[in-house]
Amino acid sequence: MKPGPRNLITDVAGLKVGNAQDEALKSGTTVLIGDNPFTASVHVMGGAPGTRETDLLAPDKTVAAVDALVLSGGSAFGLDACSGVVDALRAQGRGFRVGDALIPLVPGAILFDLLNGGDKGWGQNPYADLGRAALADASENFPLGSVGAGTGALSAMVKGGLGSASLQLPDGSMVGALVGANPVGAVTTPGDHHFHAAPFEIDGEFGGLGPDPTSGLGLSFESRKMAAMSARANTTIAIVATDATLSKAECQRVAVAAHDGIARAVVPAHMPNDGDLVFSLTTASKPAGDVAMIGHAAALCLSRAIARAIYAATPAEGDLLPCWSTLNA
């Protein structure tokens, strides 16, 4: 396996990602859209998820395909980003047709960034506008770090962010991951230098520092985030994608496997105060794939994407936590 040409989820042909953010708000939204509706499912392992229209992604539910997926900051307010995307897609003539009605199907998930130092004193919920702006920004190339849903994200010790990575399988199919990394746990080992995901790094994509040579990692838990926020509200939300043809049930199995990527990159993971969630989708532009191998690749991509999110985060005025890049300059 090797990364795709962009090392982004958009190496899966037919997908685009757009971001919108408000620097004063310290929050934003990320939208993934396909050239055509796509089969998708979801799996939640965190104890505090915030979601919209995820029930329809269960394998036994009638809906066969959705139009877009949304990752957003803003906690429950951020779910309104999906409404902005729905409105914009309807205006474009996209959606599920029922008689004369056109209904864009846009599941979404949110992370908690309400206490990160940004100005949250809005008079009107800003997230619908952020959703529309993110959709309008959709492209095959997009930045990582402090953008979109990752704008105000924080890990335990350093700023979080938006990350992505990809892998091409030996059969030619592509797998990619997109993540808003805002976990309870730490993405770096004690000392803020090495990444937990280091064993899975490819071509120095997040610094090439290798694994931490010390042992006994994870036996104690320090968190600048908890000290700064006095709250335990967090979440890692992600999308994994492939062009190999999968059923809806197989997409769900890939989402389950991809959660291993969170556990390899974040210590501890899947906590009661995390809303850890992974969407999984297929564009089905290639023949049926090996579900086991796709799930394995999705987990690898997600681990790398989480580390890349933190590695690419950039400082901004009023930040509660330092960036990895600042501490390791």
Side-chain angles (χ1 to χ4, degrees):
M1 293 187 287
K2 61 182 180 180
R6 300 181 188 89
N7 200 16
L8 299 172
I9 195 170
T10 49
D11 286 325
V12 177
L15 297 181
K16 295 182 175 66
V17 171
N19 293 301
Q21 55 278 327
D22 182 318
E23 302 302 335
L25 187 67
K26 285 190 180 291
S27 188
T29 295
T30 297
V31 175
L32 180 144
I33 188 163
D35 291 343
N36 300 294
F38 47 78
T39 299
S41 194
V42 67
H43 187 65
V44 180
M45 290 190 71
T51 61
R52 169 169 161 154
E53 291 204 301
T54 50
D55 282 356
L56 59 79
L57 300 179
D60 65 323
K61 298 303 184 287
T62 302
V63 167
V66 299
D67 295 288
L69 295 171
V70 172
L71 307 178
S72 184
S75 189
F77 301 101
L79 292 174
D80 210 31
C82 299
S83 297
V85 176
V86 167
D87 289 345
L89 289 176
R90 183 171 182 263
Q92 295 174 16
R94 290 194 57 165
F96 181 68
R97 190 165 290 281
V98 182
D100 293 334
L102 186 64
I103 310 166
L105 299 176
V106 183
I110 49 84
L111 54 81
F112 183 93
D113 58 5
L114 296 181
L115 301 178
N116 64 0
D119 179 6
K120 306 303 194 296
W122 59 72
Q124 180 176 344
N125 188 328
Y127 286 96
D129 287 341
L130 286 169
R132 280 187 284 269
L135 179 65
D137 182 63
S139 172
E140 292 176 342
N141 293 297
F142 59 94
L144 304 182
S146 302
V147 295
T151 300
L154 305 171
S155 70
M157 300 301 287
V158 294
K159 280 187 74 170
L162 185 79
S164 191
S166 68
L167 281 173
Q168 186 172 35
L169 276 59
D171 66 3
S173 59
M174 191 69 70
V175 175
L178 176 70
V179 63
N182 182 61
V184 168
V187 178
T188 51
T189 64
D192 306 317
H193 189 58
H194 295 276
F195 289 92
H196 284 295
F200 312 105
E201 184 177 16
I202 300 174
D203 296 334
E205 62 193 335
F206 42 91
L209 300 172
D212 193 325
T214 60
S215 60
L217 300 177
L219 297 180
S220 62
F221 177 46
E222 180 184 359
S223 175
R224 295 189 185 104
K225 181 178 183 178
M226 293 302 103
M229 292 173 57
S230 301
R232 294 183 176 273
N234 307 271
T235 291
T236 297
I237 47 177
I239 302 168
V240 297
T242 184
D243 50 12
T245 297
L246 302 175
S247 68
K248 202 174 181 184
E250 288 171 330
C251 281
Q252 186 182 54
R253 179 47 49 187
V254 169
V256 171
H259 271 280
D260 288 352
I262 298 177
R264 295 168 186 166
V266 179
V267 179
H270 304 142
M271 299 292 282
N273 306 103
D274 279 313
D276 294 347
L277 171 151
V278 178
F279 293 109
S280 174
L281 72 92
T282 174
T283 61
S285 62
K286 292 190 175 177
D290 181 335
V291 178
M293 183 61 72
I294 292 168
H296 171 54
L300 293 175
C301 287
L302 187 45
S303 288
R304 295 162 49 226
I306 290 169
R308 295 189 80 200
I310 277 65
Y311 181 72
T314 52
E317 184 178 354
D319 283 348
L320 294 186
L321 297 185
C323 290
W324 182 92
S325 58
T326 302
L327 295 175
N328 291 276

